[in-house]
Amino acid sequence: MAAMKPRTGDGPLEVTKEGRGIVLRMPIEGGGRLVVEMTPAEASALGKAIQGCPTVN
């Protein structure tokens, strides 16, 4: 059984390596954070997709 972790509430954008995966914690509108676990290959693909997005000025 997985260990229960306390909810941390709002916080900064955070990316950590946990075990073999990469965990992204992103603050969302309305409070709380979106937590996504991905493989290094998925994180690389996400980074490339973000780099390809046009910027807003």
Side-chain angles (χ1 to χ4, degrees), residues 10-46:
D10 294 339
L13 178 66
E14 179 183 1
V15 179
T16 58
K17 183 166 178 15
E18 295 185 12
R20 293 189 219 172
I22 295 173
V23 177
L24 165 70
R25 292 177 180 89
M26 180 176 17
I28 56 175
E29 289 185 35
R33 295 197 294 177
L34 174 68
V35 180
V36 179
E37 184 173 357
M38 60 193 97
T39 66
E42 292 168 331
S44 178
L46 176 60

